[in-house]
């Protein structure tokens, strides 16, 4: 979706187009990797850890901190909430956080 709305999202988030491309690419890679993990019968702990660290720390938090002065509030909030979502998913996976459905 970010690829389709590249220019609009760039203006909305007040971020350079290259950063929006980076975010979109990271989301695609994250989705492919997560889907691959979903189909594995046994999921080694390190694979989930790599997934969380790569998305939450290396991409989301770095971009949020680097662009906090120039990005729009919506852009920073989106990036930070994405990192929080990934961390919560990892906490649920490891049993640190229990969600009753």
């Amino acid at each position: 979706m970010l690829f389709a709305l590249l220019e609009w999202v760039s203006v909305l988030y007040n971020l350079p187009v290259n950063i929006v491309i980076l975010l979109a690419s990271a989301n695609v890679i994250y989705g492919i990797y997560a889907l691959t993990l979903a189909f594995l019968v046994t999921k080694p702990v390190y694979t989930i850890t790599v997934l969380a660290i790569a998305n939450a720390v290396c991409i989301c938090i770095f971009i949020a901190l680097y662009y906090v002065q120039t990005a729009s509030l919506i852009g920073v909030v989106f990036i930070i909430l994405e990192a929080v979502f990934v961390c919560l998913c990892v906490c649920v996976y490891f049993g640190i956080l229990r969600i009753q459905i």
Side-chain angles (χ1 to χ4, degrees):
M1 186 64 128
L2 286 177
F3 285 119
L5 302 172
L6 194 59
E7 293 293 330
W8 182 78
V9 171
S10 177
V11 171
L12 178 67
Y13 290 178
N14 196 28
L15 290 171
V17 173
N18 291 341
I19 296 300
V20 177
I21 290 171
L22 176 67
L23 287 171
S25 300
N27 283 330
V28 169
I29 293 167
Y30 172 80
I32 291 169
Y33 187 62
L35 188 59
T36 302
L37 290 179
F39 285 112
L40 291 178
V41 175
T42 58
K43 296 166 183 65
V45 172
Y46 74 89
T47 59
I48 305 298
T49 305
V50 166
L51 186 67
I53 291 171
N55 195 323
V57 176
C58 297
I59 295 182
C60 297
I61 294 173
F62 169 75
I63 292 172
L65 291 175
Y66 188 77
Y67 286 103
V68 72
Q69 297 297 322
T70 58
S72 69
L73 180 61
I74 293 172
V76 172
V77 168
F78 174 81
I79 294 166
I80 291 172
L81 287 178
E82 186 175 355
V84 168
F85 173 76
V86 171
C87 291
L88 287 174
C89 289
V90 170
C91 288
V92 168
Y93 179 81
F94 285 121
I96 297 168
L97 179 64
R98 299 199 189 279
I99 296 178
Q100 297 294 326
I101 298 177

